[in-house]
Amino acid sequence: MLPSRWRFGWDRYTEVDLFTDRDESNVETLSQAIRAAVSEEPDADGSVQFGSLQGTVVGLRYYTGVVNRGEMVGLVREPQNPYDRNAVMVANVYGNQVGHIKKELAAAMAYIMDKNLAKVEGVVHTGTNNKFSMPVMLSFWGKEENKKAVIESMARRGYKLDMSGKLFGANYKSDYSQSARALASKKGLTTALTAEELKNAFDNLFEGLTESKDGEKEAAKSVGTPLLPHQKQALSWMCARENKSGLPPFWEKRGDLYYNSLTCFSAREIPERVRGGILADDMGLGKTLTTIALILTNFHKGKPLPVEKCEEQSSPLKAKSKPHVASKQEGGSSAGLSDGAASLMQPDLYKLETMAANLSDVVEEAVNSDTAKSKEEKKATKRKQEAPVLLEDLDFAAALGGSAPDQSAKKKKKTAKKAAPTPGVGSSIPESAEDLSARATLIIAPLSVLSNWLDQLEQHVRPDVKLNVYLYYGSERNRSKKFLSSQDVVITTYNVLSSDFGNKSPLHGINWLRVVLDEGHIIRNSNAKMSKSVLDLKAQRRWILSGTPIQNHVKDLWMLLAFLRLKPFDVKDWWNRVIQRPAIQGDRVGLQNLQTLVKCITLRRTKSSEVNGRPLVSLPEKTVCVEQVELSQAEREEYELARKEGRSTISRYVAEETVLRNYADVLVILMKLRLHCCHSDLLAKITSDLGASATPAELRERLIEKLRLVLASGSDEECSVCLCSVHLPVITHCAHVYCRPCIAQVISTEQERARCPLCRTEIKTSELVEFPQEEEEEGKSVNSGNWKKSSKVQALMGNLLRLRCEDSSVKCLVVSQFTRFLTILESPLREHGFSFVRLDGTMTQKRRTQVIKEFQSSDPDSPTIMLLSLKAGGVGLNLTAASHVYLMDPAWNPAAEEQCIDRCHRLGQKRKVVVTKFIVKDSVEENMVKIQRQKQDLVEKAFGSTNTDRKTSRIDEIKALLEL
DNA sequence: ACCGCCGGGTGCC
DNA sequence: ACCGCCGGGTGCC
C-alpha cells in the first residue's frame, strides 16, 4: 500500500532519527513520506463524510510531535511496524510523529485505509489529562459507494460511527481562535455561499492584489533599462519577499510560540518563511524585466549581484566561513507538551500559551529524570554525533537575527529540520541560515519563450556588465555541476528539466540561489513528471511567474503552493482539508482563508490597474470592431444544407439523450459550420473527421500517416474496387486505401450496411480520411491562381488593400484557428503582392524565432502581414510591430482571442490598435459571439464541477448555437 | 503455596 | 499511569 520508499527503521531510536537530520543520507522527512502516500489518492473533491468516532492516541511519551488543542493531525498507516502490521501512526502538521492509534482501533482502521475505502482525518480537540495518551476525533471521508462498507466494517469490530454533526465533522475546533469562527460557519452558523458568490469569489481570487506597501525600489546599476513605476514596485515587493522574515500566512506569535491559526499547530521556532511567491501580473507588464532586475539587484543580504566590470564592493561570494558560535548544551526533551496545555485551556490565550511554555520546561526536566533515562541518553548520544554541523548553521542563523536562541540545542536542531525538510540529498541547510555560496538563478520556461529570455537579458542588462548566462538546452549542454552553479543565470525548459530528472540531473544537484518558473501554471498537474522534477529542485528562493495562475480549478493552486513550500499546504492532505474542500463547498471562511493565502504570496496587476490613481501603464487605445460578412448565395446554400443536416443529427441526439456520448460528433458538426463560414474548401476535407468519435484527431493523424506511407512506398497501390492505381486516395478507419469515387460508390449502394471490401468492417463516408489540404496543395499552390474566393477572404482582402493605400507601414496580424484557412489565405495575399510570414504550432522553435524577428523588424522590406494560428506559441509572444488584428473566426474561448490581441496590444506598442472580427451574418458564428460572454461564465462556474457538468452546460450552449 | 495477597516494576505500536 | 497488568515474594493475625 505504501510506496516502497516508505522506509524508516522501526527501531524506535532510528525512528527518532528520522526527524533529526541525517545530513547526507537519503532519509526522507515524514511529511514527504506522507506526501508520497497521499499523492496517488483521488482528490478530496467528491468525498463525503461517513461519520466520526472518538479514538485514542497512545504512546505519546515516545515521540516529540506536539499537538495543540484543536489541532489537526494526520493518520498514516504503518504496515511495516514490527509490533503490529495494523499500526496507524499519528502525526502533526509538520509531520512529526505524535503517537499511535490504539491497537484495537488501528486494526479496524487499517482494513479501511488499506482498501482505500475511506480517508481518515483526525482532530485533537479535547486535550489530555496524562502524558501517555489522548483522545482524538476521527472523521471518515470517502466515496459515497464505500460508505456502507466502511460503516459495517467498523461496526463489526465494535466501532460505531457517529453521524451527527456530519457536515464538517472532526474539523471543528476549540473556541477563542480564528479557526473557531471558521468552525462556526462549518457548523452552519453562517451560511455557505451561493453558487454565484462562489464563482465570484474564485473570479476575484487573484484580483485586488495590487496594493504594494513596499514602495518602489531602484534596480541595481547593472540593469540598463529604467524600470517603470509599477516595475519598481514589483521589484521592491519581490526583494522584500526574499529578504524579510515576516510570518507566513496564518501564523501568529503568541507569547513565546508561533501559532498557526488554521491547523492550530504551534512551534517555538519561527516558521520557515517562503522566500518567493507568485508574480501574476498581466502579460506585457514586464514580468521578465522585473525578474531580471531582481536577479541583478537582490543577491545575498540584499546586495546587488556582484558582476564583472562593476566597481562595486565584492560581495562575499564564495565565503563559506560562518561565524562559529559555541554549541549549546545537549540533551533536554523537545516535547512541547501542549497536551498539558490543553487540559488547562482557558479563555485567556496569551496566558495559556505562556503556561504551556513554562509547563514544557518543567516537563523537560521531569523527562530527564525519568526512568526512561537510558533511552534518552541513547538518543542524545545519537544526536550528538550529528549535532555540530547543524548547530553551527542554527546558531549562525540566530546570529543573523533569526529566532531567539533560548531553546535547548536539541530542540532547535530538530525544528530546524522540521522547518526545512527540503527533499532530496544534502539539501537540508536550514533556509534561515543562508547558504552564501549559492549564486545561480535557474529559470525554467516553456520552449516558446526561451528566446525571449535571452533577448530580454541582452536588452536589459547593461552592455558593460558581464552576466554569465547559460542556456541549458540542446544535446551538447554542459552538464557540469560546478560550471552550472557558477553561472549567474541558467535557463532551461520544463522538458529538459524533466527529462534530466532521475537521470543524474545536474540541475537537481545544485543549490540554487533562486528558481524561477516562467509561465508557472504549466506545472499544475502534480502527477506529471514535469511537476515532480520542479518540486525536487533545491533552492533558497522560489518564484512563479504567471499571467494566469488559476486556469480551471482551485486545485491547480496546490502545485504552486507546494513548489513554494508554503507550509503546511505543501502536503496535499493538509491543503485539501484546510483549504480546498472548504473552499469548494462554498464555506465562507474557507474561501477567505484561500484568499488570504493567495494574497500573501501574490502580486498581480492588470493593464487596467491603477497605482496612486494613475493607470499602471499607458497603452495606446484599442478599438475592437465587428465586421459582418454576408455569404454569397452559393455559400449560403451550402451552409444551410449543412446546418439542416447538423440540426437533425443533433436533434436526434437530444431526443435520444445521447448528446454526451456523441459529443465528438456534435463538435464536428459545429466545426463544419464554422468552416463553412470561412471557406468551403476547408470543408470538403473535414468530412473525414465526422464520426471518428473516439479520438478523432489522433485516429486521423494515424490514418493520414498510414495513407502517406502506402502512397509513398512507390508500389503503385491499386484500388481493390476498380483494380486501377488509386485516384484521389482515401483511407478507411480499418486502414484500407481506395479511390474516393470507388468507395463512395460502394457506400452509397450498400447504404447503412456498407462494409469494407477488404476486411468487411463497417464503413461510412464520414470515416474516409484523405490528405489534409496543405499536403495536396503543396504542388497546387505554386501554380495557383485557381484559388476559390470566399466572402470572408474577400472581406479581409478588402480591408488589407484599403489599409495598404492609407498607410503602407501598418503591419497586421491575420488570425485564424484553422491553419488550413491560413494556407488558403496565402494565395490571395501573394496575388496582391503582400509580403507576409506565417506562424503556427507546427513550426520549430528556431523557425518561429526567425519569423518573429523578421516580422518585428522595422526594415521597409520586412513583411507587413503575419498569418497567425490562434493557439500558436502560447503566451509571451511579442508582436508589437503589428497594430491591426484581423480575427478571421470567433473562438470558443474569448480569452484566447484576448490573449492573441494582447500580443500586439502590450508594452512597446506605439500605434493605436485596431481589432477587426469577421463574423458571418446569420450563422453559427453570430451565435458563438452571443454566447462568448455566457461561455466565460460557464467556464468559471465549472470551477468546482465535474467534467460531465461542464459538458452538460455545453449541450445547452450547442442547442443555442444551432437554434434548437 | 497447584492458592490469594502485597507491592515493585513497568507501560504504544 | 492517582491506572491495569505482570510476575516475584510471601504466607495466621
Side-chain angles (χ1 to χ4, degrees), chain A residues 907-956:
Chain A
L907 237 57
Q909 179 57 261
K910 301 287 185 297
R911 303 180 189 239
K912 286 183 181 177
V913 170
V914 181
V915 179
T916 307
K917 298 182 176 183
F918 292 109
I919 302 295
V920 170
K921 208 177 161 207
D922 297 325
S923 76
V924 68
E925 287 191 345
E926 251 182 5
N927 291 327
M928 278 178 76
V929 173
K930 276 187 212 154
I931 280 173
Q932 269 186 353
R933 195 165 298 126
Q934 297 172 354
K935 153 90 179 137
Q936 188 68 28
D937 294 350
L938 286 174
V939 168
E940 279 147 19
K941 251 186 222 146
F943 241 122
S945 66
T946 63
N947 209 22
T948 313
D949 287 344
R950 265 199 293 278
K951 279 190 182 167
T952 312
S953 60
R954 289 196 83 176
I955 293 174
D956 297 335

Side-chain angles (χ1 to χ4, degrees), chain A residues 58 84 86 101-110 154 157 159:
Chain A
V58 293
D84 180 0
N86 291 324
I101 293 292
K102 211 165 151 47
K103 62 173 180 290
E104 296 79 9
L105 178 54
M109 285 167 61
M154 291 304 288
R157 295 176 185 260
Y159 295 100

Side-chain angles (χ1 to χ4, degrees), chain A residues 307-368:
Chain A
V307 278
E308 280 176 47
K309 292 205 180 178
C310 249
E311 296 316 310
E312 304 205 40
Q313 83 300 326
S314 68
S315 176
L317 247 209
K318 305 271 173 180
K320 288 220 172 184
S321 61
K322 296 167 187 170
H324 282 249
V325 180
S327 294
K328 300 277 166 191
Q329 81 284 1
E330 287 292 319
S333 166
S334 58
L337 245 276
S338 52
D339 38 16
S343 64
L344 294 166
M345 201 62 177
Q346 284 176 26
D348 185 341
L349 255 182
Y350 181 85
K351 197 163 135 198
L352 170 73
E353 300 296 340
T354 314
M355 285 168 79
N358 294 338
L359 233 178
S360 66
D361 286 341
V362 173
V363 174
E364 277 179 24
E365 281 184 34
V367 167
N368 275 344

Side-chain angles (χ1 to χ4, degrees), chain A residues 752-772:
Chain A
E752 303 302 321
R753 323 174 60 190
R755 287 171 184 276
C756 172
L758 285 170
C759 69
R760 310 307 297 164
T761 307
E762 280 190 26
I763 50 170
K764 295 183 201 151
T765 314
S766 58
E767 287 178 354
L768 301 176
V769 176
E770 57 194 292
F771 273 137

